[in-house]
Amino acid sequence: MKKLMNKPSGFVDEMLDGLVAANPSLALGGDTGRVVHRAKPIRSGKVGVVSGGGSGHLPLFTGYVGEGLLDSCSIGNVFEGPTVGSCMEAIKLADGGKGVLRLYGNYGGDRMNFDMAGEMLEDEGIRTTTVLGNDDVASAGPAERQKRRGVAGIIYAYKTAGALAETGADLDAVTAIAQKTVDRTRTIGVALAPCQVPGSDKPSFTLGENEIEMGMGIHGEPGIWRDTLREADAIADEMIERLLADKPEGAGKRVSILVNSLGATPLEELFILYRRARATLEAAGIEIVRPLVGHYATSMEMAGASISLCFVDDEIEALLAAPAHCPFWTVTA
């Protein structure tokens, strides 16, 4: 696969240099140079919100650093979690004296390194809490939801936690709203074609010319089934059916929907999916609020899409509507 790059070894650092150069609201920090943070120092007395993960998923993770969202984000190599050192640096850069929420996807390496970073910084007087994104319904059944992977739906928690933190809420309240949002969010993806990690001599997985895989993860993790390509309406119907079958206990009749490209799939195809998903939800008596369609969490040049549903209540909906700005997502009052 052709890529616009120099040496594979410089791919991530050169990407980060370009990201912050193109967006003056961002800066690179820490000794590692693998932390993106707001260019303006965190406000004293504000709870910090931090995330992190591997490169290759822009706008996730670093693209959501900004007002009303994340304060800082540590980043690893492509499809590799951030180091303990960069996690520590991200937390320090987000410390306004009132504690820091660590909000990231449910992956083993990320958990281990963020946990170690948090434990070491507790000794320096920085209180931290953790909320794990685990919205991927294809990765484990409802009885083992704590094992599910975190994918595109985590951006809803970025938004609600970031909005509440801007109001001056304390760490316990910011943590609680992030957890509530995660608990009310479900995602499923479908893959059409693979991506290739810079420096690798082969794609991350293989699919036949006319094959798709329902439920595949953003790193090529196995999904639910693999079969021949079918029409977009049938794919959207199954995705919505699976999400509604897994809706959280006590969920109401309002959702925010995110139809997300995994990288190569264009907006035209996303809108075809959204059109059908909206009709299916409305037929089920469900109202859509604040729909999102676009590139929000990708996997390099992987072809495919994911659909996320966040089952909102009045509190979550109000926080989703609060002003926010980052390079890839702006919400105006």
Side-chain angles (χ1 to χ4, degrees):
M1 294 182 180
K2 301 181 182 71
K3 293 185 183 290
L4 292 171
M5 65 177 186
N6 297 307
K7 301 294 185 183
S9 59
F11 184 85
V12 174
D13 294 313
E14 291 174 2
M15 175 275 293
L16 291 173
D17 286 345
L19 175 66
V20 300
N23 295 281
S25 63
L26 304 180
L28 280 178
D31 294 336
T32 63
R34 289 292 185 93
V35 178
V36 175
H37 62 97
R38 299 191 203 182
K40 293 182 179 179
I42 187 167
R43 185 176 76 245
S44 178
K46 178 189 174 299
V47 168
V49 183
V50 167
S51 193
S55 296
H57 301 299
L58 274 173
L60 207 66
F61 299 88
T62 51
Y64 295 109
V65 173
E67 182 181 353
L69 292 154
L70 301 177
D71 292 286
S72 65
C73 184
S74 56
I75 194 73
N77 292 326
V78 176
F79 295 179
E80 296 178 11
T83 65
V84 175
S86 64
C87 292
M88 291 179 68
E89 290 167 345
I91 293 169
K92 288 180 177 179
L93 285 164
D95 177 30
K98 293 297 183 179
V100 177
L101 167 62
R102 298 177 278 150
L103 175 56
Y104 54 94
N106 188 24
Y107 296 92
D110 297 356
R111 290 199 312 269
M112 179 178 69
N113 288 348
F114 263 112
D115 285 350
M116 291 177 63
E119 290 170 5
M120 288 188 279
L121 290 175
E122 291 278 354
D123 295 336
E124 298 183 20
I126 301 176
R127 183 186 170 215
T128 63
T129 56
T130 299
V131 172
L132 298 175
N134 61 349
D135 51 306
D136 186 355
V137 302
S139 55
E144 296 183 304
R145 200 168 69 82
Q146 74 281 358
K147 296 182 180 180
R148 289 177 171 174
R149 300 181 290 255
V151 285
I154 196 173
I155 72 167
Y156 285 113
Y158 288 171
K159 183 66 180 68
T160 58
L164 192 61
E166 294 288 354
T167 70
D170 65 21
L171 180 59
D172 290 338
V174 173
T175 303
I177 193 59
Q179 187 64 63
K180 178 180 177 179
T181 307
V182 165
D183 290 343
R184 286 172 164 262
T185 302
R186 303 288 187 270
T187 300
I188 190 167
V190 61
L192 279 66
C195 65
Q196 187 164 322
V197 174
S200 175
D201 59 0
K202 61 183 179 181
S204 55
F205 60 90
T206 58
L207 276 173
E209 181 64 27
N210 200 38
E211 281 188 323
I212 62 172
E213 185 158 338
M214 180 66 70
M216 181 174 280
I218 59 174
H219 308 104
E221 298 95 337
I224 300 168
W225 57 255
R226 180 178 290 204
D227 205 346
T228 55
L229 179 65
R230 53 199 65 177
E231 291 186 348
D233 284 0
I235 294 171
D237 286 349
E238 179 173 345
M239 296 172 84
I240 294 297
E241 179 182 352
R242 289 183 178 276
L243 295 174
L244 292 181
D246 203 279
K247 67 181 179 182
E249 184 177 352
K253 291 289 189 178
R254 287 179 296 154
V255 300
S256 176
I257 181 173
L258 164 62
V259 179
N260 168 65
S261 172
L262 293 176
T265 297
L267 282 168
E268 289 86 348
E269 295 175 29
L270 299 183
F271 284 119
I272 291 171
L273 288 175
Y274 176 77
R275 155 199 153 275
R276 181 66 172 196
R278 180 184 180 90
T280 303
L281 290 169
E282 289 179 343
I286 296 174
E287 177 189 359
I288 293 176
V289 298
R290 310 201 73 81
L292 302 170
V293 180
H295 293 69
Y296 287 84
T298 66
S299 186
M300 303 292 291
E301 70 278 13
M302 183 175 176
S306 64
I307 297 179
S308 304
L309 297 180
C310 179
F311 293 82
V312 304
D313 61 7
D314 290 344
E315 181 183 29
I316 290 176
E317 186 175 351
L319 291 169
L320 292 179
H325 177 72
C326 71
F328 302 96
W329 189 9
T330 296
V331 180
T332 56

